[in-house]
Amino acid sequence: MTAVESRSVAPPSLATPDEGVLGRRLRALSVGIVSVVVLIAFEATAVGTAMPVAARELDGVALYGFAFSGYFTTSLFGMVLAGQWADRRGPLGALAAGIGAFAAGLLLSGTAGAMWLFIAGRAVQGFGGGLVIVALYVVVSRAYPERLRPAIMAAFAAGWVVPAIVGPLVAGTVTEHLGWRWVFLGIPALVALPLLLALPAIRTNAGGPPDGAPALFESRRIRLALGISLGAGLLQYAGQDLRPFSVLPAAAGLAVLVPSVLALLPPGTFRAGRGLPSVILLRGLAAGSFIAAESFIPLMLVSRRGLSLTMAGLALAVGGATWALGSYLQSRPRLEDRREPLVRLGMVLVTAAIATAPAVLIDSVPVWIIALAWAWGCFGMGLVISSTSVLLLSLSAPTEAGSNSAALQISDGLSNALLLAGGGAAFAALGGGALSGHGADAATGGPAVAFASVFVLSVLVAAVGVWVAGRLRTPAVRG
């Protein structure tokens, strides 16, 4: 064990009653980890804006959904590895390795000459992202007292506001004037700031292993994580191939995926057991339905309504502010005992937003409708995502924070991967792969049906989340 890993950790109880997330002890840590979130947010908004052009130039529109789902597939393995790593040796190493892999994946995608290399870069990036997100949750669990966790989760959401507004504008402008590759190649330059700010502060406040942590990694969980990634990858391949032969990889993927998921998620997750199982299930339903729908919106606006990349990205920009507003609202102490109704309200708003978005496929519907819908959908996501994070940490013992955070992120990432794969398969099968420029032939009706299929799938999943949101109440967490 290195000197960094053996450092003792200042327990959360040392925080003074009047100390906040920007108090003297936690200020550097809070700024550092929020900077990491800002980097991830800028990547997500910028890359999503540039993706339609990248897919067309690499002759890979039929694999458009795969470019997103490939990220989430490898992130599943990174999440479990990070949970093991952080629970045994602290979150510092996992976070540093994750940021490095994240940057390497961006460089690989930015220099790709074929769609499969581009997707490979997204996969490397996803592995790094999986390491980072779980490590951040463990940092919050270890360094912040329970009363401050809603506030730091709200700060995470606030970290998306500026990237959500600036990211699409910058990415659209860069893509139109310099080319889409510079969007990917430019982001790694932003890695230095989070590293300089976050890593020393994490080493001081949450660098070492918790008391009673096991010394060795649990190899069974690592194998199960590989099984999840492999199974999800096979299902995605089968969904994109769409030939009779594809039944074989689909069956193999299910055979590997299902037992691995059942073993890694808490018992009762898929029957929405009250408490922790429903928290983890709801996270997947909310994130998967929302991300699958959002990923296709820029392509829909560019190809069906003729918007520029910049304008298509900006149609979603206001969502960053409303997401932060929803997260801020759930952090208010007086609303703590109303968390369950807030989460249910959030899921209703998410479902309504996804159901409204495909209305812009009708030429007479103004494009600004999608901006309005996504604003209230993001507000709902701010309520749901931050609340599920707070609930998870309150239900986790210190030595289980990493594994439970990994389970939450597995639910999130697996749902994203599977719904993007399913939506992408439906999109390709119904003619979406034929899109090649700014203005698909609306008279054929094919592309419109292809886009609509993605939103129908997402809205059905989100509607299930409305029901699950009523099952978060436990004796320890009353809503």
Side-chain angles (χ1 to χ4, degrees):
M1 183 178 296
T2 66
V4 168
E5 291 165 344
S6 64
R7 291 179 65 92
S8 61
V9 180
S13 59
L14 292 181
T16 58
D18 59 346
E19 183 180 31
V21 296
L22 292 179
R24 185 174 62 180
R25 186 178 72 86
L26 295 173
R27 183 183 302 121
L29 177 63
S30 298
V31 172
I33 61 178
V34 171
S35 296
V36 174
V37 173
V38 170
L39 169 66
I40 294 173
F42 188 80
E43 179 276 336
T45 55
V47 168
T49 301
M51 194 73 78
V53 170
R56 285 200 301 270
E57 289 193 7
L58 296 174
D59 194 26
V61 173
L63 299 175
Y64 185 81
F66 216 178
F68 289 97
S69 61
Y71 175 101
F72 293 111
T73 299
T74 52
S75 71
L76 296 169
F77 177 67
M79 291 167 187
V80 176
L81 180 61
Q84 294 270 302
W85 196 338
D87 279 346
R88 285 153 178 77
R89 301 180 183 179
L92 185 67
L95 184 64
I99 292 177
F102 192 80
L106 284 165
L107 292 174
L108 180 57
S109 289
T111 56
M115 192 64 176
W116 70 268
L117 276 173
F118 181 86
I119 293 172
R122 293 286 291 163
V124 173
Q125 189 185 342
F127 173 71
L131 290 174
V132 168
I133 192 64
V134 171
L136 287 178
Y137 271 68
V138 175
V139 170
V140 171
S141 173
R142 299 270 300 281
Y144 293 82
E146 187 169 354
R147 63 181 178 80
L148 293 181
R149 291 173 189 168
I152 193 63
M153 291 300 174
F156 282 1
W160 280 77
V161 175
V162 173
I165 296 172
V166 175
L169 178 62
V170 172
T173 301
V174 170
T175 300
E176 291 172 3
H177 294 281
L178 298 177
W180 64 267
R181 296 181 185 277
W182 287 103
V183 174
F184 289 84
L185 297 176
I187 293 175
L190 303 176
V191 168
L193 179 61
L195 282 174
L196 291 174
L197 289 174
L199 298 187
I202 292 172
R203 181 179 59 188
T204 299
N205 291 279
D211 294 337
L216 300 177
F217 282 40
E218 189 179 344
S219 60
R220 176 176 173 271
R221 292 184 67 85
I222 302 299
R223 291 195 301 271
L224 291 171
L226 284 172
I228 289 179
S229 293
L230 175 61
L234 287 171
L235 285 174
Q236 290 169 60
Y237 171 79
Q240 294 291 153
D241 196 31
L242 298 177
R243 292 182 297 176
F245 175 77
S246 300
V247 173
L248 295 179
L254 286 172
V256 174
L257 179 67
V258 172
S260 299
V261 171
L262 291 175
L264 283 175
L265 298 186
T269 296
F270 292 103
R271 55 180 174 80
R274 289 193 175 274
L276 183 63
S278 282
V279 170
I280 289 174
L281 176 61
L282 178 62
R283 180 59 165 265
L285 296 173
S289 60
F290 190 81
I291 296 299
E294 185 178 63
S295 297
F296 281 83
I297 287 176
L299 182 63
M300 179 173 66
L301 293 177
V302 168
S303 62
R304 294 291 305 184
R305 299 303 296 266
L307 268 66
S308 68
L309 285 172
T310 302
M311 292 306 298
L314 287 176
L316 306 179
V318 69
T322 57
W323 189 311
L325 180 61
S327 186
Y328 171 80
L329 180 64
Q330 66 78 38
S331 73
R332 298 299 84 198
R334 67 180 180 274
L335 294 177
E336 180 61 35
D337 62 350
R338 305 295 298 166
R339 191 169 296 281
E340 185 177 307
L342 282 176
V343 172
R344 175 166 278 181
L345 170 63
M347 282 309 305
V348 169
L349 293 175
V350 169
T351 305
I354 297 171
T356 302
V360 299
L361 292 168
I362 303 171
D363 291 339
S364 60
V365 175
V367 172
W368 57 261
I369 288 294
I370 204 166
L372 180 62
W374 230 241
W376 76 58
C378 286
F379 178 78
M381 286 294 285
L383 294 174
V384 174
I385 298 301
S386 294
S387 288
T388 53
S389 301
V390 171
L391 287 168
L392 176 104
L393 295 178
S394 70
L395 293 169
S396 301
T399 56
E400 298 174 342
S403 58
N404 285 348
S405 296
L408 186 78
Q409 297 303 326
I410 286 171
S411 178
D412 187 319
L414 181 62
S415 180
N416 286 335
L418 293 182
L419 285 174
L420 279 165
F427 179 75
L430 294 172
L435 294 174
S436 59
H438 290 261
D441 185 4
T444 65
V449 173
F451 282 114
S453 67
V454 176
F455 292 97
V456 169
L457 176 62
S458 293
V459 80
L460 291 174
V461 173
V464 175
V466 175
W467 172 73
V468 175
R471 299 183 60 80
L472 307 182
R473 190 192 308 263
T474 67
V477 180
R478 300 186 180 277

